[in-house]
């Protein structure tokens, strides 16, 4: 819970917004965030930083995040740790570094470009965008087709 709070506080959002984000994401209502709930909180935080209003209840497209499978949770924790090893807390990963990591997958450049676009990549990737890119890369390496839009379980 402390680590999740630290990451959310590094967003620079006002504490009242962060409290509402936490309440929305804490589907278990246990005062702590599972990895899926943390991903929901990160998504809500990113939306708020874009200037969007916080919803009254957790949007339907974020509900799958609260029910991530254990395998997905372990995978996402590994990706988050990888991100945190590469960039200082509260920073975004430069595109060149993210591209270097994604290219290790040995996927074709066209797949990597589509993954980059699906994850919302620009000049940098924030932690949530990096998690999206890594999850899509792993799925593609497992033989899954790339979707036309970011899957609901990654929103």
């Amino acid at each position: 819970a402390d680590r999740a709070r630290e990451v959310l506080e590094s967003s620079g959002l006002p504490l009242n917004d962060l409290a509402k984000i936490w309440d929305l994401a804490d589907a278990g209502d246990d005062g702590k965030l599972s990895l899926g709930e943390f991903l929901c909180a990160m998504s809500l935080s990113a939306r708020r930083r874009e200037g969007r209003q916080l919803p009254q209840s957790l949007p339907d497209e974020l509900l799958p995040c609260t029910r991530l499978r254990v395998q997905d949770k372990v995978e996402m924790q590994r990706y988050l740790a990888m991100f945190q090893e590469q960039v200082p807390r509260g920073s975004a990963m430069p595109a060149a570094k993210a591209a270097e990591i994604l290219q290790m997958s040995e996927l074709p450049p066209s797949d990597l470009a589509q993954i980059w676009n699906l994850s919302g990549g620009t000049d940098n990737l924030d932690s949530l965008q990096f998690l999206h890119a890594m999850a899509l890369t792993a799925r593609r390496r497992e033989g899954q087709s790339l979707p036309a839009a970011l899957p609901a379980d990654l929103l």
Side-chain angles (χ1 to χ4, degrees):
D2 289 337
R3 182 70 182 125
R5 184 174 48 252
E6 288 174 18
V7 171
L8 287 171
E9 286 175 350
S10 72
S11 71
L13 291 173
L15 290 179
N16 60 332
D17 283 352
L18 294 176
K20 181 162 184 166
I21 288 169
W22 189 282
D23 288 342
L24 288 167
D26 185 12
D29 202 24
D30 57 4
K32 48 189 178 173
L33 299 180
S34 68
L35 180 64
E37 291 169 341
F38 175 72
L39 293 174
C40 288
M42 292 295 291
S43 180
L44 290 166
S45 173
R47 292 174 185 192
R48 186 67 184 121
R49 285 192 323 266
E50 292 170 351
R52 294 162 62 182
Q53 294 298 312
L54 291 172
Q56 295 301 313
S57 60
L58 191 64
D60 290 343
E61 70 269 13
L62 293 181
L63 288 175
C65 288
T66 62
R67 298 184 294 269
L68 283 176
R69 298 180 322 219
V70 171
Q71 174 186 345
D72 294 337
K73 289 179 182 181
V74 171
E75 179 182 357
M76 292 299 190
Q77 287 172 334
R78 193 170 45 109
Y79 300 151
L80 185 58
M82 185 184 304
F83 180 87
Q84 291 169 339
E85 289 171 8
Q86 299 296 323
V87 297
R89 188 170 19 156
S91 298
M93 182 179 289
K97 184 62 181 174
E100 178 184 320
I101 292 170
L102 292 173
Q103 288 168 352
M104 286 190 257
S105 70
E106 299 183 350
L107 289 174
S110 59
D111 284 355
L112 293 176
Q114 187 175 353
I115 288 168
W116 186 266
N117 290 333
L118 286 167
S119 63
T122 56
D123 294 337
N124 301 300
L125 290 182
D126 64 26
S127 57
L128 186 60
Q129 292 168 324
F130 182 76
L131 291 174
H132 291 160
M134 293 301 291
L136 290 167
T137 299
R139 291 175 184 186
R140 184 67 186 119
R141 290 189 69 205
E142 292 170 353
Q144 294 181 31
S145 298
L146 289 172
L150 195 61
D153 67 321
L154 292 180
L155 290 174

